[in-house]
Structures are given as structure tokens and as C-alpha cells.
Amino acid sequence: MVEPSQSVTVVALLADPDAPTEVARRMARDLPARLENASGRRRRFDVKVVSEPFTAGTEDLSTLTRRLLDRVREEDWDVVVALTDLPLHTRGRKLVVELSHEHGLALLSLPSLGGLRLQRRARRAVEEAVLSLTDAQAAEAERPGDAAEAESRGRRRSLGDFTGRLASVHPAPVDDEEAADLRYVLKGPRGYLRMLGGMVRANRPWRLVPGLSKALAAALATGAIATVNSTVWGLAAALSTPRLVIAAVGSVALMIGWLIVDAHLWHRKKEDSPEARKRTALYNASTVLTVGTGVIVCYAGLLVVNLVWALFILNGQVFASMTRTPLHAGEYWTLAWFVASVATVGGALGSGLESDEAIRAAAYSKREQERRRMLDDDGDSS
């Protein structure tokens, strides 16, 4: 029940579909109570989650801002926080969040929060953005016409909270003609690594394994056949640990390279400028890490499957007669390790049966797929 002294602030979490919507829905469960406590219970918050692809077809910051302002005018919302899993840039910097106190609007790029503790960091960022915007609105209501004072109060609150919790986050200048009046960006090596980790998380690389069904089937078949091959037994027994490591690294690298080249995942810059080169390097690094993480998960799974298969199928007498080595726990492990490397190569060959669209769908988030499709269309039309 709303007390007479309390006002109700309607907060809309406008989220891109897929991961941003999931993040918004999870935080919306306890966000009203947290906001009410942080505001000293002077007002009540009604939080709504609206899932729609507001970044469709563009990653231009000014275009996104115009879209959001148009969307705000259509609804009776007091505060809007837009969340996207696209990495956004402004003047060569990686955008974290920007706020417009005049319009009660904030735009948050989730990858800029990093790959770890995303839900917690996103909740803190949204809380601070909402409190900053509502404080400015309250100051404007108390002193009508003094917009500069309201904006200043919002700035003072946000500056300390955002930069204090994330050391790589810094305020950035905003032009007078822009709708935003406060902006934070990532700077330095830590900022680069934070954005890179966030981009990899947004792509959710663990989906790569079930997404590559044909490659996985080829890898499993290769492993099953190799495990019962006496020549493979002899090779595995004769290999030293350094050679097994080299085989493992080589097979994983081959799989990563094959997927990237075969599915045309390597991003090529469309213009020759320092900013374009940095952005291209960031996208390609996220691709390598995304695919690499998925392949390593696949390799670990193959290792476990092959070990179980070897424990079930191998006979100690037959193995010893063929390799002149007793079949102990070390031999099971060595064979499974070597077979996993062989099976990974087989999976790389099997991935050629997958369509480029299937590999991209497994390797990238929906927003990243749309972004790359848009870039490909621009390249074909030029």
C-alpha cells in the first residue's frame, strides 16, 4: 500500500531479446525493494520489463538514442533503462552507460561490465542510473525551471558510484547538442579486457557444443573407432607427456582455425583508421576466445566419453599383447587423452558439413549475428 507521502515512479527496463531480457527479468524481482530502500523510502518504484530489439540493424549510438527517445514519448514511463548485449562505442571509446536526466533515459551496454558477476554488476549499474535520474527529477520538481541544478545533482551522485565500483570506468565528455548529459566509458588495458570478457560471455560459448551436432557426431565416431584400434594403442603408449600436450594443443588450435575460416567468422575492417583497426581487433579477439572456449569444452567432453568407453571396451590381456605394456590406470588416461585429440581433428573435418549459419548461430549472440549480417550486407553492396 502506498503511503500518502510516497510517490510512485514507473521504471521500464527496455531490453534486447535473449540475454539482456533474461538479465532484466532476474533483476526486476527485487529491484523495486532495493530502489525503495536506497531512496530512503520516500517513493515507491513500479518496475516493468519490456523486451524488444531496439538495436536491430544499427550500433550507431546517436541512432539508438533517437529510437529510445521516440519510444519513451509513446509510453507513460518516468524512467527508462535500456539494456543491450551489443558492444557500443563512442569516439573510439567503449561505452558503459550514458544518461539523459532531461528525458529520464539511460542506455547500458552489458558487455562493458565484464564476463564475471554480470548480474550483480548490471543490477548495481541499473540501480545507480535509476536513482540518479529520479533524484534529478525530484530536484526539478522541488525547484521548477532549475534544470541545471537537477542535472548537477544527478551527475554528482553517478560520478562517485559508477567510477568507484569499476576502476576502469571513467566519465567521458558529451557534446551540448547530444541528448545525453552524462556518459561513462572504459579506458586502459583493464577496460579492454573487461569488454572482451563481456563480449565472450554475451556470445555464450558453451552453446557451441550442442550447436555443432554434425561436428560432434564426427568427433564421437572418430573417438569410438580410434579407441579399439591397436595401432592407436601403441602410439598412445609410446607418446611422452610433452607430445600428448602438443597433440592436444594442436588439435584444439586446428578446430578453432577450421571453424573460423570455414564459417567466415573473421571480421575484416571496412575502413582504414586507428579506431576501425582497434574495433576489428576486439571483435576478432572475442571470436577466437568464444570459439576457443567452446572447443575446449568439447575437448573435455570427448576426453570423458573416450575414457568411459575405454574402461568399458578394453581387455587387459589383449592390450598387453599388442603393446607389451600392462593396462593400468595411466594407460587408460593416456589413451583417452590421445584419442580425444584425434577425435577433435575428426570433429574439425566434420564441421565442414555444418552450414555457416549454424556455426554463427552457435558461436554468437542474436545481436552479434545481426551486426555481422549487417556488415556483410554493407560489404556486398559497396
Side-chain angles (χ1 to χ4, degrees):
M1 184 174 180
V2 183
E3 298 178 4
S5 59
Q6 283 184 314
S7 60
V8 179
T9 300
V10 179
V11 179
L13 301 181
L14 185 62
D16 266 332
D18 205 18
T21 297
E22 295 175 10
V23 171
R25 285 174 177 165
R26 283 196 293 268
M27 76 169 64
R29 297 168 188 167
D30 60 353
L31 186 60
R34 294 179 63 91
L35 290 172
E36 184 176 345
N37 291 333
S39 66
R41 300 185 179 274
R42 295 189 306 271
R43 63 176 71 92
R44 190 172 69 88
F45 292 85
D46 181 15
V47 178
K48 304 176 182 294
V49 176
V50 181
S51 179
E52 60 181 59
F54 68 90
T55 61
T58 185
E59 57 180 329
D60 178 66
L61 194 57
S62 59
T63 302
L64 292 178
T65 302
R66 286 196 298 272
R67 285 184 181 179
L68 292 172
L69 290 176
D70 291 339
R71 188 71 176 87
V72 168
R73 296 186 186 102
E74 297 173 359
E75 304 288 345
D76 188 22
W77 298 328
D78 297 309
V79 171
V80 177
V81 181
L83 297 89
T84 180
D85 55 359
L86 266 185
L88 301 177
H89 299 78
T90 174
R91 301 178 182 177
R93 300 291 187 182
K94 305 161 192 68
L95 178 72
V96 179
V97 64
E98 70 170 24
L99 294 87
S100 172
H101 291 84
E102 179 184 356
H103 301 96
L105 174 65
L107 172 60
L108 174 64
S109 176
L110 293 176
S112 65
L113 301 179
L116 301 176
R117 297 178 293 177
L118 174 63
Q119 188 68 40
R120 182 179 178 184
R121 288 174 174 173
R123 185 183 64 196
R124 284 181 175 179
V126 170
E127 287 177 13
E128 297 301 336
V130 172
L131 292 172
S132 174
L133 295 173
T134 53
D135 282 356
Q137 291 174 349
E140 172 65 14
E142 292 173 3
R143 301 177 61 182
D146 197 352
E149 175 63 19
E151 179 183 317
S152 177
R153 292 187 186 185
R155 286 187 182 214
R156 284 198 296 270
R157 177 184 184 105
S158 299
L159 182 61
D161 291 327
F162 277 119
T163 59
R165 286 172 175 164
L166 298 175
S168 55
V169 177
H170 301 273
V174 182
D175 291 338
D176 293 337
E177 62 271 15
E178 294 185 75
D181 51 60
L182 189 62
R183 178 177 294 153
Y184 290 93
V185 298
L186 293 174
K187 292 183 180 180
R190 290 181 62 183
Y192 179 89
L193 294 176
R194 188 184 298 278
M195 176 65 83
L196 185 59
M199 292 173 67
V200 172
R201 182 190 174 99
N203 289 333
R204 294 191 283 189
W206 51 87
R207 300 184 307 177
L208 190 66
V209 178
L212 300 177
S213 56
K214 295 182 178 65
L216 187 59
L220 291 172
T222 303
I225 295 171
T227 302
V228 299
N229 189 300
S230 59
T231 302
V232 175
W233 298 352
L235 287 173
L239 287 176
S240 62
T241 300
R243 290 192 175 187
L244 286 170
V245 172
I246 292 173
V249 173
S251 63
V252 169
L254 177 63
M255 181 74 159
I256 294 171
W258 186 281
L259 288 172
I260 291 176
V261 172
D262 186 58
H264 308 287
L265 302 182
W266 197 253
H267 178 72
R268 302 182 186 279
K269 61 180 183 293
K270 301 300 181 182
E271 55 184 79
D272 190 16
S273 66
E275 181 178 344
R277 286 194 293 270
K278 290 180 181 178
R279 189 177 300 188
T280 299
L282 181 65
Y283 287 138
N284 286 332
S286 71
T287 295
V288 172
L289 288 177
T290 298
V291 177
T293 302
V295 171
I296 290 173
V297 171
C298 182
Y299 186 93
L302 289 172
L303 181 60
V304 173
V305 170
N306 291 325
L307 181 59
V308 173
W309 176 238
L311 289 170
F312 174 75
I313 203 69
L314 292 185
N315 179 276
Q317 285 186 327
V318 176
F319 185 90
S321 66
M322 299 297 296
T323 64
R324 298 181 181 179
T325 303
L327 184 58
H328 299 307
E331 282 65 40
Y332 279 113
W333 169 257
T334 301
L335 178 62
W337 189 1
F338 180 61
V339 169
S341 300
V342 175
T344 300
V345 175
L349 298 176
S351 66
L353 301 175
E354 303 278 5
S355 66
D356 293 352
E357 290 74 16
I359 296 176
R360 292 189 181 192
Y364 295 128
S365 66
K366 290 182 179 180
R367 230 58 48 216
E368 183 66 7
Q369 292 176 54
E370 293 173 357
R371 190 191 68 79
R372 288 176 177 266
R373 196 178 301 117
M374 179 182 65
L375 290 175
D376 290 342
D377 293 342
D378 291 342
D380 294 338
S381 61
S382 59

